């Protein structure tokens, strides 16, 4: 998985995301689960480490689940005032929760098995035909790479600011959800200042090295397909065909 061409992994991630919305029944999701589990095992990344990616989104998943359970119309099982629990609501809630979980885990495999530079090259090569209509493909790919690169940096910076404010008496852990959200507001100003400072330093460093975009640039490690990439592509086409077949047949 780590040695696959980044273009194949980008296409595979896109196909995986599409398949989650093509499939509209429960039991075909078993194929999605088995496919995702096989990729995780082949990547040799610890499952616990991958599941950590769900932690920041747990409240979104819970919120989506609750909204679908209590407010989706259908055949009522239990009701209290305007709040109703329906069979369709429970089914849709579980369905949406599974879809979000698989979506996060599937996209995490792309970033965990591909370096930022490989992602940049893959995105640039895949979008290269759009250069003919004036789309700044190289610049777009560079921006995506920089954004991915600075996510861990900003998370570390947030952690440092939180610890500094906690040492001065700030409380980020007590209170309800709204109170915790209000307590996070003082973090925004120093975090934005730090982010803009890093952006300025990066821009100056790129200018000092005579960076002028992608025109005329060469690659130290050009991308090229190998036998394993063609095998992965065939498996990917078969996976997509099965997903489309389930949707057409209505299974």
């Amino acid at each position: 998985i780590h040695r696959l061409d980044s273009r194949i992994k980008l296409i595979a991630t896109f196909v995986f995301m599409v398949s989650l919305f093509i499939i509209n029944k429960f039991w075909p999701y078993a194929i999605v689960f088995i496919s995702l589990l096989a990729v995780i095992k082949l990547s040799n990344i610890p499952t616990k480490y991958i599941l950590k990616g769900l932690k920041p989104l747990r409240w979104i998943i819970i919120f989506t689940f609750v909204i679908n359970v209590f407010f989706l119309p259908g055949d009522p099982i239990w009701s209290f005032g305007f709040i109703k629990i329906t069979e369709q609501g429970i089914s849709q809630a579980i369905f949406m929760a599974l879809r979000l979980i698989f979506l996060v885990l599937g996209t995490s495999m792309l970033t965990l098995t591909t370096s930022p530079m490989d992602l940049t090259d893959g995105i640039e090569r895949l979008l290269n035909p759009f250069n003919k209509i004036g789309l700044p493909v190289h610049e777009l790919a560079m921006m995506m790479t920089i954004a991915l690169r600075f996510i861990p940096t900003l998370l570390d910076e947030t952690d440092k600011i939180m610890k500094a404010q906690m040492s001065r008496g700030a409380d980020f852990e007590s209170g309800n959800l709204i109170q915790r959200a209000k307590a996070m507001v003082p973090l925004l100003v120093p975090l934005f200042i730090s982010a803009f400072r890093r952006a300025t330093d990066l821009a100056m460093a790129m200018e000092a090295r005579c960076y002028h975009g992608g025109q005329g640039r060469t690659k130290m490690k050009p991308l090229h397909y190998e036998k394993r990439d063609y095998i992965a592509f065939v498996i990917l086409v078969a996976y997509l065909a099965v997903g489309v077949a389930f949707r057409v047949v209505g299974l």
Side-chain angles (χ1 to χ4, degrees):
I1 300 298
H2 293 268
R3 291 182 296 168
L4 286 175
D5 191 286
S6 58
R7 292 169 291 180
I8 290 293
K9 286 189 276 189
L10 284 165
I11 295 172
T13 303
F14 178 76
V15 169
F16 180 78
M17 294 169 62
V18 170
S19 71
L20 293 177
F21 294 93
I22 288 177
I23 297 173
N24 56 356
K25 302 292 183 181
F26 273 109
W27 79 266
Y29 263 55
I31 297 176
V32 176
F33 175 74
I34 293 171
S35 302
L36 184 59
L37 186 63
V39 172
I40 292 173
K41 291 298 182 181
L42 289 172
S43 68
N44 290 326
I45 300 175
T47 306
K48 291 182 179 180
Y49 184 79
I50 297 174
L51 292 177
K52 285 182 180 179
L54 294 173
K55 188 175 180 181
L57 298 175
R58 64 186 184 278
W59 294 114
I60 297 177
I61 297 173
I62 293 172
F63 177 76
T64 304
F65 184 87
V66 171
I67 289 295
N68 282 279
V69 167
F70 289 103
F71 297 102
L72 195 71
D75 301 326
I77 300 176
W78 176 87
S79 63
F80 181 78
F82 67 93
I83 299 177
K84 295 180 181 180
I85 297 179
T86 63
E87 293 182 4
Q88 290 82 357
I90 295 175
S91 176
Q92 185 68 13
I94 297 173
F95 192 77
M96 292 300 295
L98 287 174
R99 180 177 287 175
L100 286 173
I101 291 171
F102 287 150
L103 187 64
V104 173
L105 295 179
T107 52
S108 296
M109 292 306 302
L110 173 65
T111 55
L112 291 174
T113 60
T114 316
S115 67
M117 289 304 300
D118 287 340
L119 276 177
T120 303
D121 293 342
I123 293 172
E124 186 175 355
R125 290 290 296 275
L126 287 175
L127 298 179
N128 197 48
F130 293 98
N131 269 324
K132 297 179 180 179
I133 60 174
L135 187 69
V137 171
H138 177 80
E139 285 72 16
L140 288 175
M142 180 62 70
M143 285 190 293
M144 292 179 187
T145 305
I146 291 174
L148 290 172
R149 166 62 182 83
F150 276 95
I151 287 175
T153 304
L154 291 177
L155 290 176
D156 291 339
E157 193 73 23
T158 303
D159 185 59
K160 291 179 182 178
I161 295 172
M162 288 182 65
K163 289 180 179 178
Q165 293 193 7
M166 289 172 66
S167 67
R168 293 170 174 82
D171 186 7
F172 298 103
E173 298 180 355
S174 61
N176 55 32
L177 185 61
I178 297 176
Q179 291 173 336
R180 291 185 183 183
K182 289 181 178 179
M184 298 293 288
V185 173
L187 294 175
L188 297 179
V189 174
L191 186 62
F192 272 99
I193 292 174
S194 174
F196 283 121
R197 185 184 298 117
R198 290 182 182 277
T200 302
D201 293 342
L202 178 62
M204 293 177 63
M206 294 173 73
E207 288 181 0
R209 289 164 175 80
C210 301
Y211 175 78
H212 296 292
Q215 187 174 4
R217 292 177 64 88
T218 58
K219 306 291 184 183
M220 186 175 69
K221 296 180 180 179
L223 295 177
H224 60 277
Y225 292 115
E226 297 185 10
K227 183 179 179 180
R228 57 176 175 265
D229 299 309
Y230 292 110
I231 295 174
F233 187 77
V234 171
I235 296 173
L236 186 61
V237 171
Y239 171 83
L240 182 60
V242 171
V244 172
F246 279 132
R247 182 61 181 262
V248 172
V249 176
L251 296 177

